Amino acid sequence: MLTLIVRALEEDQYTVSTATSGPEALRMIDEHRPDLVVLDYKMTGMDGLAVMKALRAKPETHLLPVLMLTAMTDEPSTRAGFDAGVTDYVTKPFSFPQLTARVRACLARAQLL
């Protein structure tokens, strides 16, 4: 799935870096601040909510747009994601046009801030 997501975003002219765990994602974000983070709810080492809380706790990443892309479709999970500070929440299954549209919308909202 990760390979397909990367391919879809790259076809839409985005530069993509990937991390396979929460701690790796935080390290990469600290080293090179991206314009947007696409985050899964379930990750190894640290779940997506913990990563979100860590990002929102730092002044440098407090306003970083984050799109949660997950199979967690229940209302408590969705609410927890937004409470943690995600910019948008997309559930699996999804279409790639939907994903790239949501990415564009997150980036556009971030530019308005």
Side-chain angles (χ1 to χ4, degrees), residues 34-82:
D35 295 325
L36 170 78
V37 173
V38 177
L39 188 64
D40 200 337
Y41 210 109
K42 293 186 177 183
M43 299 175 9
T44 58
M46 182 181 215
D47 72 15
L49 286 181
V51 172
M52 260 320 305
K53 290 173 184 175
L55 291 173
R56 293 302 181 238
K58 293 182 188 178
E60 306 85 28
T61 55
H62 180 73
L63 296 176
L64 180 65
V66 177
L67 176 76
M68 182 76 78
L69 180 62
T70 181
M72 305 292 288
T73 61
D74 60 289
E75 184 180 334
S77 296
T78 304
R79 194 171 45 245
F82 281 111

Side-chain angles (χ1 to χ4, degrees), residues 4-59:
L4 294 173
I5 292 168
V6 168
R7 186 177 304 144
L9 293 173
E10 287 178 340
E11 284 178 5
D12 222 39
Q13 305 305 309
Y14 294 106
T15 301
V16 180
S17 299
T18 61
T20 57
S21 72
E24 181 185 12
L26 288 173
R27 181 186 53 75
M28 290 175 69
I29 291 165
D30 282 343
E31 289 174 3
H32 177 72
R33 189 94 54 244
D35 295 325
L36 170 78
V37 173
V38 177
L39 188 64
D40 200 337
Y41 210 109
K42 293 186 177 183
M43 299 175 9
T44 58
M46 182 181 215
D47 72 15
L49 286 181
V51 172
M52 260 320 305
K53 290 173 184 175
L55 291 173
R56 293 302 181 238
K58 293 182 188 178

